[in-house]
Amino acid sequence: MNIEILTKADLQTFKTELLNDIKQLFTNKNSDNQKWLKGIDVRKLLNISAGTLQNLRINGTLNPSKIGGTLFYNKHEIEKMLEVNNG
Protein backbone atom coordinates (compact mmCIF):
# COMPACT_ATOMS: atom_id res chain seq x y z
CA MET A 1 0.00 0.00 0.00
CA ASN A 2 1.44 3.33 -1.13
CA ILE A 3 0.94 6.30 1.08
CA GLU A 4 1.36 9.76 -0.43
CA ILE A 5 1.60 12.79 1.74
CA LEU A 6 0.20 16.07 0.48
CA THR A 7 2.02 19.13 1.63
CA LYS A 8 0.73 22.66 1.99
CA ALA A 9 2.76 23.58 -1.10
CA ASP A 10 1.02 20.82 -3.10
CA LEU A 11 -2.38 22.16 -2.11
CA GLN A 12 -1.32 25.73 -2.93
CA THR A 13 -0.13 24.60 -6.39
CA PHE A 14 -3.40 22.77 -6.97
CA LYS A 15 -5.39 25.83 -5.89
CA THR A 16 -3.43 28.10 -8.23
CA GLU A 17 -3.87 25.75 -11.19
CA LEU A 18 -7.59 25.34 -10.49
CA LEU A 19 -8.16 29.10 -10.22
CA ASN A 20 -6.26 29.67 -13.47
CA ASP A 21 -8.41 27.04 -15.22
CA ILE A 22 -11.60 28.66 -13.94
CA LYS A 23 -10.44 32.13 -15.02
CA GLN A 24 -9.62 30.77 -18.45
CA LEU A 25 -13.13 29.32 -18.78
CA PHE A 26 -14.66 32.72 -18.07
CA THR A 27 -12.30 34.67 -20.32
CA ASN A 28 -12.83 32.28 -23.23
CA LYS A 29 -16.53 33.13 -23.27
CA ASN A 30 -16.30 33.93 -26.97
CA SER A 31 -19.60 34.29 -28.82
CA ASP A 32 -18.30 31.90 -31.50
CA ASN A 33 -18.21 29.14 -28.89
CA GLN A 34 -21.59 29.92 -27.39
CA LYS A 35 -24.44 27.66 -28.33
CA TRP A 36 -27.14 29.50 -26.38
CA LEU A 37 -27.76 33.25 -26.37
CA LYS A 38 -29.80 35.46 -24.07
CA GLY A 39 -32.42 37.78 -25.53
CA ILE A 40 -30.20 40.86 -25.30
CA ASP A 41 -27.48 39.06 -27.29
CA VAL A 42 -29.99 38.01 -29.96
CA ARG A 43 -31.29 41.58 -30.20
CA LYS A 44 -27.77 42.91 -30.69
CA LEU A 45 -26.92 40.18 -33.20
CA LEU A 46 -30.04 40.80 -35.28
CA ASN A 47 -30.23 44.53 -34.55
CA ILE A 48 -33.89 44.28 -33.52
CA SER A 49 -36.04 45.64 -30.72
CA ALA A 50 -37.45 43.70 -27.78
CA GLY A 51 -40.89 43.83 -29.41
CA THR A 52 -39.60 42.32 -32.64
CA LEU A 53 -37.91 39.53 -30.71
CA GLN A 54 -41.19 38.90 -28.90
CA ASN A 55 -43.00 38.70 -32.25
CA LEU A 56 -40.46 36.15 -33.48
CA ARG A 57 -41.25 34.05 -30.40
CA ILE A 58 -45.03 34.43 -30.76
CA ASN A 59 -45.14 33.50 -34.44
CA GLY A 60 -42.86 30.49 -33.85
CA THR A 61 -39.89 31.72 -35.86
CA LEU A 62 -37.69 31.34 -32.78
CA ASN A 63 -38.31 28.79 -30.06
CA PRO A 64 -36.36 29.71 -26.93
CA SER A 65 -35.80 27.51 -23.91
CA LYS A 66 -36.72 28.95 -20.55
CA ILE A 67 -34.33 28.19 -17.72
CA GLY A 68 -34.95 29.75 -14.35
CA GLY A 69 -37.02 32.58 -15.76
CA THR A 70 -34.50 33.45 -18.49
CA LEU A 71 -35.09 32.75 -22.16
CA PHE A 72 -32.19 31.26 -24.10
CA TYR A 73 -32.06 31.06 -27.88
CA ASN A 74 -30.22 28.42 -29.88
CA LYS A 75 -27.53 30.16 -31.94
CA HIS A 76 -27.74 27.51 -34.67
CA GLU A 77 -31.50 28.14 -35.01
CA ILE A 78 -30.89 31.88 -35.41
CA GLU A 79 -28.20 31.30 -38.06
CA LYS A 80 -30.55 28.93 -39.90
CA MET A 81 -33.33 31.56 -39.82
CA LEU A 82 -30.94 34.14 -41.27
CA GLU A 83 -29.88 31.79 -44.08
CA VAL A 84 -33.50 31.09 -45.02
CA ASN A 85 -34.42 34.78 -45.03
CA ASN A 86 -31.32 35.82 -46.97
CA GLY A 87 -31.49 32.79 -49.28
Side-chain angles (χ1 to χ4, degrees), residues 31-67:
S31 64
D32 292 339
N33 294 334
Q34 285 184 305
K35 182 178 177 184
W36 295 96
L37 302 172
K38 289 185 177 181
I40 188 76
D41 299 322
V42 175
R43 289 175 42 209
K44 287 179 184 177
L45 179 68
L46 300 177
N47 195 27
I48 59 174
S49 68
T52 301
L53 183 58
Q54 182 178 5
N55 286 336
L56 292 173
R57 282 195 313 266
I58 291 170
N59 68 23
T61 304
L62 291 177
N63 298 308
S65 296
K66 190 172 187 178
I67 301 173

